[in-house]
Amino acid sequence: MVADAAGNDILAVGVPVTGSIGFAPFGTTIPTPEEGADPDLTLDSSFVKIGLLKEDGGPQFAWAADGDPITFWQEGYSIPSGLANVTLTITAAETLSDRVREIIAGIAPDSHGYLEIDGGGHATQWVVFSEEIFKNGAIRRRVAANVTLASSEEDQNTRGEVMGNALTFNIHTSPVLHNKHFGEWVLPPEEPGNGGGTDPGDDD
């Protein structure tokens, strides 16, 4: 990806076409920087993809510094508090699947398809890996090694429409990420405009 004479790079514009997001038990080994940069990456089999997302419900990461900065007697000097609120939001479409229900409840349904949900939340931790594939063939991958569910909000049940469930997760720092919140790879298109990279139709 190279900027033109005006300083613009059309290939750096992300237009999502597909992707996936997978959850694995806390402590699952995450890809190394080299492994994550491989277009043919094979994730640890512990990662289970959450399935279909609503059209407008793809991964949304957000982060902001938390707490007042540390200031000094001399005017104009400060440093960040070092704290941050980092979240991931998706809107799952497969709201009836055991996997989505397990994430919401923190436990898997029993053999009767029954589980009990504590509205106060649960402390289950996961490792999360997301992959977004863009129209130009570029790929963006992110991995967070310590994630917990913050909230679950169902869409209004409307006849004839997909009922999504907006899931928001807190992303915590992790020693395996050098006490950062998540790691990120951006794989450029193989060739400009050729639609290279992972097959957009393969989101299994």
Side-chain angles (χ1 to χ4, degrees):
M1 293 188 280
V2 179
D4 60 19
N8 304 313
D9 182 0
I10 196 70
L11 293 180
V13 176
V15 180
V17 293
T18 191
S20 62
I21 184 165
F23 292 75
F26 180 69
T28 298
T29 300
I30 66 173
T32 66
E34 181 180 6
E35 291 169 343
D38 184 349
D40 299 319
L41 168 70
T42 299
L43 280 176
D44 187 294
S45 60
S46 298
F47 283 92
V48 177
K49 294 182 180 180
I50 200 170
L52 294 171
L53 305 177
K54 287 193 67 175
E55 185 177 17
D56 59 352
Q60 180 182 26
F61 287 75
W63 57 95
D66 185 27
D68 295 330
I70 299 168
T71 58
F72 298 90
W73 182 76
Q74 288 88 349
E75 184 178 0
Y77 291 87
S78 66
I79 57 176
S81 68
L83 304 175
N85 289 319
V86 184
T87 60
L88 163 64
T89 302
I90 59 174
T91 303
E94 296 184 20
T95 55
L96 305 181
S97 74
D98 286 351
R99 184 55 172 163
V100 173
R101 297 177 67 212
E102 179 180 354
I103 288 172
I104 293 169
I107 56 172
D110 66 15
S111 59
H112 305 289
Y114 176 77
L115 54 74
E116 294 175 343
I117 296 174
D118 183 347
H122 56 80
T124 305
Q125 298 166 279
W126 291 283
V127 179
V128 173
F129 184 91
S130 67
E131 180 176 79
E132 301 155 279
I133 301 172
F134 299 94
K135 187 175 182 180
N136 62 7
I139 300 171
R140 183 171 69 179
R141 294 169 173 162
R142 286 173 169 169
V143 63
N146 186 359
V147 173
T148 56
L149 182 68
S151 66
S152 170
E153 182 178 359
E154 293 182 353
D155 290 347
Q156 177 69 45
N157 193 319
T158 304
R159 179 170 57 86
E161 295 184 6
V162 173
M163 185 181 72
N165 194 309
L167 304 174
T168 299
F169 301 88
N170 289 323
I171 301 178
H172 312 281
T173 59
S174 171
V176 302
L177 290 167
H178 304 98
N179 294 318
K180 304 296 193 301
H181 290 87
F182 63 90
E184 177 186 88
W185 298 263
V186 172
L187 286 62
E190 291 182 356
E191 295 177 10
N194 76 339
T198 304
D199 179 0
D202 181 14
D203 58 357
D204 294 329

